[in-house]
Amino acid sequence: MAVQNSSLGLKSLKIADVVAAALPAAFDVELYDAQVGSASVNETEPTTENIQIEQKRGTYRKITTADGETTYTVQLYDLSTDQIQAVKGGTVTPATALVGKRWSKTEQVEINKAVEIVTLDDFKIIFPNAHVSALITWPTTKGALGTITVTFTAQDHPMGDVIVEEPLA
């Protein structure tokens, strides 16, 4: 039977510090507990403008005025202080005899990480340099769990903005 070049599901989601002209040696921080149905890589089309001239009808030339983006968005149920720090920055203070482990932040920080997404079929989607935006939603009702919605936006990198690697045969 021929190998199917299709991809299904999420096996792992890992991040690492961005390396200037290479991929990280290891993606050493795994992000856990992705909500079913919340994870997706999406592309937007570039913004274009039609240029017209006086002498003829129709489009003389189409120009790109803004590039499209590639993003990966996922909602994570793991609200541990370590996971929050990995995607939002800030400081984690160890637990003491009187209080549990704590996360805090005093200022907004810009976070860029390399991202490795591995599907259940072992496809790898890699963003060598991604801007990270993470927003916490923490309902305080019995019927809902808190989540961190994380959006990784691919940015310029010498290896490519987005790398797709097929599984080994």
Side-chain angles (χ1 to χ4, degrees):
M1 182 172 177
V3 174
Q4 299 296 316
N5 286 319
S6 60
S7 179
L8 174 71
L10 175 65
K11 182 184 281 185
S12 69
L13 171 59
K14 296 180 181 179
I15 59 175
D17 290 333
V18 174
V19 178
L23 294 177
F27 289 86
D28 51 357
V29 176
E30 186 158 3
L31 302 179
Y32 293 103
D33 303 334
Q35 181 183 35
V36 171
S38 75
S40 183
V41 175
N42 293 294
E43 293 182 311
T44 60
E45 290 199 28
T47 303
T48 59
E49 185 174 326
N50 293 334
I51 305 298
Q52 298 178 344
I53 60 173
E54 296 291 339
Q55 295 88 345
K56 294 182 181 177
R57 292 177 54 90
T59 301
Y60 174 72
R61 184 173 172 190
K62 181 176 267 203
I63 60 171
T64 299
T65 56
D67 291 335
E69 290 184 328
T70 303
T71 60
Y72 179 70
T73 302
V74 60
Q75 288 185 316
L76 304 168
Y77 285 129
D78 182 348
L79 292 169
S80 67
T81 56
D82 291 331
Q83 181 136 298
I84 294 171
Q85 181 188 37
V87 295
K88 292 185 73 69
T91 303
V92 172
T93 306
T96 68
L98 301 175
V99 298
K101 194 179 208 182
R102 291 182 173 178
W103 170 81
S104 63
K105 74 171 187 169
T106 56
E107 61 185 34
Q108 190 67 34
V109 293
E110 180 125 347
I111 298 179
N112 295 296
K113 292 290 182 182
V115 182
E116 179 190 67
I117 304 153
V118 180
T119 71
L120 296 174
D121 299 307
D122 291 324
F123 271 85
K124 288 183 182 177
I125 304 162
I126 300 168
F127 292 8
N129 178 21
H131 177 268
V132 182
S133 172
L135 302 171
I136 297 173
T137 302
W138 206 309
T140 54
T141 65
K142 286 186 194 178
L145 295 176
T147 60
I148 306 173
T149 301
V150 185
T151 301
F152 299 98
T153 303
Q155 302 180 117
D156 287 339
H157 191 273
M159 302 268 319
D161 302 354
V162 178
I163 299 168
V164 176
E165 180 182 315
E166 291 184 2
L168 294 172

